[in-house]
Amino acid sequence: MKKLLLAPFLFLFIFSCVTEKKDTLKNSSKKISPISNSDLETAVIYEANIRQYSAKGTFDEFTKDIPEIKKLGVKIIWLMPIFPISETKRKATGGPESMFASEFPEEQQSKYLGSYYAVSDFTKINPEFGTLQDFRELIKSAHDNGIYVILDWVPNHTGWDHKWLKTNPAFYTQNEKGDIIHPKDTDWTDVADLNYKNKDMQEAMIADMKYWIQNEGIDGFRCDVAGSVPTTFWQSAIPILRAEKEIFMLAEAWEPELLKGDLFDMAYAWDGHHLLNNLAKGESTADDLKAYIKQLYFDRYEKDDILMNFVTNHDENSWNGTVKERMGDHVELLTALSYVLPGMPLIYSGQEYDLNHRLKFFEKDSIPKTKGTSFRYLEKIGTLKNTYLALNGGKESASLEILESDQETVILKRVKGDKTLLFISNFSKNSIKLKVPENGSFTDFISNDKIEIGKDSMEIGSFQYKILVQ
């Protein structure tokens, strides 16, 4: 009888211990100061593809490597969408002739995992990646390592399993027949287009974004196709989100108006990325690079606007090719340029491990995990980005000047405080001797050699570069 009486008390005791442990785990993250403008001056951002980062494709496997990622100078981790993926119209292949998993033989359908961007619930975790507690451990490890975490948010559409399709069909764009449609002028048939004329939908979207700030302590959002969402929504949503805590907002967009006032902190340097590809292929010249820099940094954007510079990302790798395919032997030069230009450089999962295959987008795949040339290089240049004032790229960016040089060369000068950096590059097919219009003693960042500038001409090989620091 006593045992029976003790049983409920024992259950309550165990339950309270489990609850206390769970709450302790949730709140045991080292307190990290809110992200600040000074963090943005020196940050490298890392795009994490959890599915493909490891053989298991889980949060836990990624969390174990956060200290390694920190070595690359990373201060912000952008997690590709972590939410459950819709089963209805789950994609198996991409492009205009794309197919759904359901169109394949039943025994093959399970291997098609669908697009991360076909979200079925904005407030849940994709069970393929682990549990909510696993996600919390990832946040804790990142914060313990002084790294902020932002979620990839998909505001333009949902998957076809999202509860709003049943409870609130007016949240979606409909055709003349009243049928909900996928985003116009796209092949994104696995998602339903959201109707931003509906104020209730906007409020529901903001509430779901707030959930992750209030309950899980995330540090901001990368917003998918942000330019396709009305700017008026961002003008309403972002101040509400910032009222919760200071967050970092990245827009997958180029439009300058999205960086106005207190809206997004950073946008994509899309034109710059396309230019890097064209420089590698010989379809653009050094003069094109100079014109781009003048147009971008002195005309299109304001001085305190921040752009994300990149040689690869999930879309580029999967659909347009690896960095080796697109940039050949010029990868290091163009990567260096992405760090030297004002803004924030991006590393995509696998780039640090010399990834040289296109990661599958709708199926399980995996990146290599052997450190080689790229890891060592990104570690070295990441340290320079983190520590050298003349590479500051945020709202108080180091100054940028294009120095006079031969037609096929580009010399950039960046200065902040008492620090000066020169980036000297040759985009021709021939070795060139050039005179650098500067004077003084510099250190070659790559070789660590001391160099006197201003006395003699400098020889620089085809598609070679130098980063000189003073």
Side-chain angles (χ1 to χ4, degrees), residues 1-8:
M1 186 67 175
K2 284 184 179 179
K3 288 182 180 179
L4 290 173
L5 289 171
L6 284 171

Side-chain angles (χ1 to χ4, degrees), residues 91-237:
K91 268 198 175 183
T93 62
E97 306 301 320
S98 61
M99 297 176 65
F100 299 123
S102 59
E103 297 178 82
F104 285 81
E106 188 173 350
E107 64 272 14
Q108 296 179 23
Q109 292 176 15
S110 62
K111 77 172 185 176
Y112 299 115
L113 304 176
S115 168
Y116 315 84
Y117 296 88
V119 177
S120 66
D121 193 325
F122 287 119
T123 61
K124 296 291 190 297
I125 292 289
N126 187 340
E128 297 168 21
F129 299 161
T131 65
L132 179 60
Q133 191 57 51
D134 297 333
F135 172 75
R136 289 171 176 168
E137 290 295 340
L138 187 157
I139 298 292
K140 176 185 182 302
S141 179
H143 286 178
D144 288 349
N145 281 278
I147 297 173
Y148 300 96
V149 180
I150 66 173
L151 298 187
D152 201 330
W153 198 259
V154 191
N156 187 63
H157 45 262
T158 75
W160 291 96
D161 288 348
H162 198 287
K163 64 182 179 182
W164 290 346
L165 282 149
K166 291 182 178 179
T167 62
N168 301 86
F171 282 12
Y172 293 87
T173 306
Q174 301 177 19
N175 61 19
E176 316 80 53
K177 298 177 182 178
D179 299 323
I180 294 171
I181 61 174
H182 72 270
K184 188 179 179 182
D185 300 324
T186 74
D187 61 0
W188 305 344
T189 50
D190 56 343
V191 294
D193 191 57
L194 286 166
N195 174 20
Y196 271 85
K197 293 178 181 177
N198 189 300
K199 297 296 182 183
D200 290 337
M201 187 282 293
Q202 293 191 32
E203 290 179 7
M205 181 66 71
I206 294 170
D208 283 357
M209 297 178 83
K210 281 175 65 175
Y211 167 84
W212 292 96
I213 300 173
Q214 293 174 333
N215 294 282
E216 304 305 334
I218 61 101
D219 304 298
F221 300 94
R222 176 266 188 190
C223 295
D224 189 59
V225 291
S228 296
V229 173
T231 303
T232 51
F233 170 74
W234 298 122
Q235 290 168 339
S236 173

